[in-house]
Amino acid sequence: YISVTGVQTCALPIFWTAHTGTGNMYISGLPFTPNSTANIEWTTVPEFFNMTMPASTTPLAAITASTARIYLYSQAVGSGTASGLTMDTAASVYASMTYMV
């Protein structure tokens, strides 16, 4: 994390193995809670490796206002519809973002 008054920047390399593979994915435990003004999306597209994505979708990650969680989604190409991304038993995610606190 890089901290400037009111702004946080984070880079996340996350790896997991032997998970149950159930439920929608999110990352919790951010050290600072985002402000309450709006939903915040990644400033860079997250990279997912060895992760099952539904056909014709791209990865998306976002922080909901006033929560310290990053939610991972698959977003339909062309329609903009996003759905929670189902947990894989083993995969990795790399991403970075800047958000207001």
Side-chain angles (χ1 to χ4, degrees):
Y1 283 89
I2 298 171
S3 180
V4 176
T5 304
V7 177
Q8 292 297 314
T9 297
C10 62
L12 302 170
I14 300 173
F15 311 89
W16 65 93
T17 60
H19 193 277
T20 61
T22 59
N24 288 341
M25 296 178 52
Y26 67 87
I27 302 162
S28 61
L30 294 175
F32 300 98
T33 302
N35 67 21
S36 62
T37 59
N39 289 345
I40 305 157
E41 294 183 5
W42 289 101
T43 56
T44 62
V45 175
E47 294 182 40
F48 297 168
F49 295 97
N50 300 320
M51 189 176 286
T52 304
M53 295 285 294
S56 300
T57 65
T58 58
L60 171 70
I63 295 177
T64 303
S66 299
T67 69
R69 286 185 177 175
I70 300 168
Y71 294 91
L72 303 176
Y73 300 97
S74 61
Q75 185 172 26
V77 175
S79 72
T81 303
S83 298
L85 191 56
T86 304
M87 186 72 187
D88 267 335
T89 55
S92 56
V93 175
Y94 297 87
S96 64
M97 69 178 299
T98 300
Y99 64 97
M100 301 296 291
V101 296

